[in-house]
């Protein structure tokens, strides 16, 4: 499958993954051949991209850490939880972590433990209005995946999952005009944004059934190991280990997501930025997190140092920069009659020198369609 911008869709292309609406309703199923009216409808929804079948990637397998059903349930329950909290008083006594909330966190923990050797390849389809919910679910999954490397118990992972899922809940008290502002924030607006960890802490600290370890993630995920974070400018030993992990995941997912004020980074660019900031983050947490990331997701079109053009077909845990690639075109622009695979862990003389944009990839290796 190939992640393809809505602007590049053409009639005749075939969906490789289902497309769901904001409330989890199925809009278009996998295997559907796109028509002009379907493409027009997708344009109107504001969905930025979908996954299209690509004959060159026919045998490439992309495994999911948690199922699509679990992800959609988590988004729905989180949305309901935060909406209910905002509608009630600031210090509500109704338990936030009720049976449904606990069940979905336990389900996410179970699925992560069953799939803890999976490499995360694909970004989610983003909706600007649902960014907080989608981002929070992503942070939860990725934090649990990295946290499982430390041999934590299910109970500990459950506490970590609750904190990660609720890490941005304080944003419900931040004005939407600030959260969705296009362009730079004023100093006053940024000062308002920086209040959300404290708001979240105040809400959760009144909850008797939430672990203090969970609350630490909410309070400290914007702290930094060198003391440059907020709200308390804590340093490494003062920051809870769960929060030291969540801060790395939070930054990565934010960098690789489109925001009103900037375009998303590609995964390899975000990884480079994080690894270059060794004084800001806990290196053990960064190492654990990067074990599960694909710098070049399956389907990415890449240029090799040989000049060849290739598609990424497989990633393995622990080697984010050395995927298996399918070489499709030589350096002179001629298609190979029979594309062939190269495992870059076996070819240290080759490196990836460039990642093509969606438009460049469609020009070089067009998808079937009218």
């Amino acid at each position: 499958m190939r992640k393809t911008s809505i602007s590049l869709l053409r009639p005749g292309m075939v969906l490789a993954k289902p497309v769901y609406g904001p409330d989890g309703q199925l809009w278009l199923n996998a295997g559907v051949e796109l028509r002009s009216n379907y493409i027009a409808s997708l344009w109107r929804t504001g969905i930025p991209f979908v996954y299209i079948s690509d004959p060159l990637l026919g045998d490439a397998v992309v495994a999911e850490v948690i199922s699509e059903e679990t992800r959609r349930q988590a988004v729905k329950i989180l949305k309901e939880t935060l909406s209910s909290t905002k509608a009630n008083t600031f210090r509500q006594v109704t338990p936030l972590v009720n049976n449904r909330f606990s069940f979905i966190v336990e389900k996410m923990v179970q699925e992560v433990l069953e799939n803890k050797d999976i490499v995360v390849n694909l970004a989610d389809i983003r909706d600007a209005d649902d960014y907080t919910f989608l981002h929070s679910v992503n942070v939860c999954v990725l934090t649990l995946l990295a946290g499982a490397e430390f041999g934590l118990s299910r109970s500990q992972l459950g506490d970590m999952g609750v904190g990660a899922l609720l890490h941005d809940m304080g944003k419900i008290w931040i004005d939407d005009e600030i959260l969705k502002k296009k362009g730079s924030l004023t100093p006053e607006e940024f000062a308002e944004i920086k209040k959300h960890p404290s708001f979240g802490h105040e809400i959760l600290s009144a909850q008797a059934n939430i672990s203090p370890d969970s609350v630490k993630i909410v309070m400290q995920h914007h702290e930094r190991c060198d003391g440059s974070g907020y709200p308390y400018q804590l340093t490494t030993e003062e920051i809870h280990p769960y929060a030291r992990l969540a801060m790395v995941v939070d930054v990565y997912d934010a960098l690789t997501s489109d925001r009103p004020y900037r375009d998303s980074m590609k995964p390899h660019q975000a990884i480079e930025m994080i690894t270059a900031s060794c004084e800001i983050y806990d290196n053990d947490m960064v190492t654990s997190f990067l074990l599960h990331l694909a710098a070049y997701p399956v389907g990415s079109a890449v240029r090799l140092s040989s000049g060849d053009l290739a598609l990424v077909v497989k990633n393995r845990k622990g080697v984010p920069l050395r995927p298996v690639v399918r070489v499709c075109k030589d350096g002179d622009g001629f298609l190979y009659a029979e594309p062939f695979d190269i495992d870059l862990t076996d070819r240290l003389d080759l490196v990836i020198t460039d990642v093509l944009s969606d438009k460049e990839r469609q020009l070089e290796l067009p998808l079937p369609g009218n």
Side-chain angles (χ1 to χ4, degrees):
M1 69 179 70
R2 181 189 296 189
K3 187 177 84 170
T4 304
S5 169
I6 297 298
S7 64
L8 297 176
L9 295 181
R10 299 291 181 268
M13 292 180 177
V14 177
L15 285 174
K17 289 185 70 175
V19 179
Y20 294 95
D23 296 319
Q25 69 273 33
L26 179 65
W27 281 351
L28 293 171
N29 211 342
V32 168
E33 183 175 311
L34 291 178
R35 305 172 185 171
S36 297
N37 60 319
Y38 293 166
I39 296 171
S41 295
L42 290 171
W43 262 106
R44 289 193 293 271
T45 67
I47 292 175
F49 58 82
V50 294
Y51 293 99
I52 298 298
S53 296
D54 185 342
L56 288 171
L57 294 166
D59 60 343
V61 177
V62 179
E64 300 285 358
V65 180
I66 65 170
S67 68
E68 181 64 32
E69 179 186 1
T70 298
R71 185 179 295 275
R72 287 188 284 112
Q73 285 180 350
V75 168
K76 182 178 181 181
I77 290 170
L78 179 63
K79 186 185 296 187
E80 291 171 355
T81 299
L82 298 190
S83 297
S84 173
T85 304
K86 189 172 184 177
N88 287 294
T89 60
F90 193 83
R91 295 177 179 83
Q92 65 171 11
V93 295
T94 304
L96 295 179
V97 180
N98 54 27
N99 289 339
R100 291 180 70 234
F101 194 100
S102 297
F103 171 78
I104 198 63
V105 171
E106 290 170 6
K107 192 172 183 182
M108 293 167 77
V109 169
Q110 176 64 32
E111 292 185 20
V112 165
L113 289 174
E114 290 172 352
N115 299 304
K116 62 182 180 181
D117 289 328
I118 284 179
V119 175
V120 178
N121 279 283
L122 300 178
D124 289 318
I125 295 175
R126 302 285 181 166
D127 181 300
D129 292 333
D130 275 354
Y131 171 77
T132 294
F133 311 111
L134 292 163
H135 168 69
S136 295
V137 171
N138 258 12
V139 168
C140 182
V141 172
L142 294 173
T143 301
L144 288 172
L145 196 57
E149 291 295 323
F150 293 101
L152 300 178
S153 68
R154 285 176 179 268
S155 176
Q156 289 171 317
L157 288 172
D159 290 342
M160 178 182 280
V162 169
L165 196 55
L166 294 173
H167 78 281
D168 266 345
M169 73 171 306
K171 285 185 176 178
I172 63 175
W173 299 108
I174 306 295
D175 193 318
D176 273 355
E177 289 187 7
I178 296 177
L179 293 175
K180 297 177 182 178
K181 181 179 178 180
K182 295 181 179 179
S184 300
L185 297 175
T186 66
E188 293 77 18
E189 289 168 335
F190 186 51
E192 192 66 19
I193 287 281
K194 289 166 70 173
K195 294 178 182 178
H196 79 269
S198 299
F199 288 160
H201 175 262
E202 185 166 353
I203 296 167
L204 293 185
S205 60
Q207 296 280 316
N209 66 335
I210 295 182
S211 163
D213 292 340
S214 304
V215 179
K216 290 289 187 183
I217 294 177
V218 177
M219 186 64 177
Q220 298 178 349
H221 68 279
H222 279 292
E223 299 289 355
R224 297 294 180 259
C225 293
D226 64 350
S228 63
Y230 63 85
Y232 294 119
Q233 294 78 52
L234 304 179
T235 55
T236 303
E237 296 305 317
E238 298 171 300
I239 304 170
H240 193 283
Y242 293 1
R244 296 205 300 269
L245 177 55
M247 73 169 72
V248 177
V249 180
D250 178 53
V251 168
Y252 174 82
D253 193 71
L255 289 175
T256 53
S257 303
D258 285 327
R259 303 301 297 121
Y261 47 87
R262 60 154 175 78
D263 292 333
S264 62
M265 285 187 179
K266 293 186 180 297
H268 73 280
Q269 294 171 323
I271 289 172
E272 289 170 3
M273 177 173 285
I274 289 172
T275 54
S277 305
C278 55
E279 74 284 355
I280 296 179
Y281 306 112
D282 182 318
N283 288 333
D284 289 339
M285 302 301 178
V286 172
T287 299
S288 176
F289 177 51
L290 294 185
L291 285 174
H292 297 278
L293 283 187
Y296 307 103
V298 168
S300 299
V302 297
R303 186 78 64 183
L304 303 179
S305 52
S306 62
D308 287 341
L309 182 67
L311 294 173
V312 175
V313 294
K314 185 177 182 179
N315 283 288
R316 284 187 297 272
K317 181 179 174 181
V319 283
L321 300 176
R322 312 299 294 180
V324 178
V325 298
R326 182 157 297 158
V327 182
C328 303
K329 214 171 189 181
D330 68 20
D332 294 320
F334 293 101
L335 287 167
Y336 287 104
E338 295 186 11
F340 56 94
D341 292 357
I342 295 177
D343 187 340
L344 293 182
T345 60
D346 297 330
R347 289 289 305 274
L348 300 184
D349 58 313
L350 288 177
V351 295
I352 293 173
T353 59
D354 191 23
V355 180
L356 276 64
S357 68
D358 286 349
K359 187 173 292 186
E360 291 169 333
R361 183 179 55 188
Q362 181 66 1
L363 289 172
E364 294 276 5
L365 298 168
L367 283 166
N370 298 328

